[in-house]
Amino acid sequence: MTVRKPFVGGNWKMNTTAATAAQLAVDVACGCDDLLGRADVAVFPPFPYLDTVGKHLGNGVRLGAQDLYHEAEGAFTGEVSAGMLIDVGVGVVLVGHSERRHVIGEGDELINCKARAALGAGLDIILCIGETIEQREAGQTQQVNVGQLMAGLEAVAADQMPRVTIAYEPVWAIGTGRTATPDDAQAVHAVIRSTLADRYDGAVAESTRIQYGGSVKANNAQSLFAEPDIDGGLIGGASLKADDFVTIVTAAAQASS
Ligand code: 13P
């Protein structure tokens, strides 16, 4: 059986200032230093702070971006390309985050363009998927997640999959304090993994990391990460407090040992 190294991401969303972002980077880097052998860690600050956060992180915790645009350059006012992200030290980028889908209005086709552009440029990606509460209550959880997964990975080759992480983030659990139960999350993660086996092969399915996101906190991370198909988490609110985030990374590191 493949042993997957857990991966924890801190998605800072549209929070922090230049000063608090720099301090948070220092505190996260320091707090995670001893844990990086057993868990991969990345933080995803707002675009304007990428450069400074990268400088404060040092070499261990990875620098991530929350989004990108799929064109390389040109008249795309307000957008940021993969090459620009790489220029400031970004190694991994979120694509298809719930708030991009449901607040900004991005669809599967655009998300797939972004995924392919990021991978093509050499970035790693975290492809985020997840159902709304209406879809869950209508019994469409599996169908929605499989659909977003397949669409997001359209034309992504098996040899690119080592650079792909999937984040299952049920929309109803994000920022609500209403975490999916470990059983509910595990059930969807297992479906995602078997979909990867069908779409690629067993080796890709076994080695791809699948994070859970949605109200992961210091006090519930351990039970979520104990599930066999949950390989770490994508953390919003709790990633803004270094102590809480380090506790969550510790839970992931312990789950792997
Ligand atoms: P919360 O942890 O604040 O629920 O956010 C989850 C999320 O959207 C991470 O990308």
Side-chain angles (χ1 to χ4, degrees), residues 30-48:
C30 181
C32 291
D33 199 35
D34 289 346
L35 302 167
L36 295 175
R38 289 178 293 153
D40 288 333
V41 181
V43 295
F44 300 81
F47 284 141

Side-chain angles (χ1 to χ4, degrees), residues 206-239:
E206 270 302 302
S207 55
T208 301
R209 294 181 291 190
I210 308 174
Q211 299 172 324
Y212 169 79
S215 298
V216 178
K217 306 289 178 201
N219 62 7
N220 61 24
Q222 201 179 2
S223 58
L224 287 158
F225 299 162
E227 294 295 333
D229 288 301
I230 301 183
D231 309 311
L234 190 55
I235 320 301
S239 72

Side-chain angles (χ1 to χ4, degrees), residues 11 13 94 97 99 169 173-176 213-217 234-238:
N11 177 7
K13 306 193 179 184
L94 305 182
H97 188 274
E99 287 133 26
E169 299 201 292
I174 296 178
T176 59
S215 298
V216 178
K217 306 289 178 201
L234 190 55
I235 320 301

Side-chain angles (χ1 to χ4, degrees), residues 77-110:
T77 302
E79 297 298 334
V80 172
S81 70
M84 292 170 182
L85 296 178
I86 291 167
D87 256 357
V88 293
V90 167
V92 52
V93 62
L94 305 182
V95 291
H97 188 274
S98 159
E99 287 133 26
R100 301 297 314 173
R101 292 178 189 267
H102 298 289
V103 181
I104 313 294
E106 290 187 10
D108 280 327
E109 206 174 312
L110 176 61

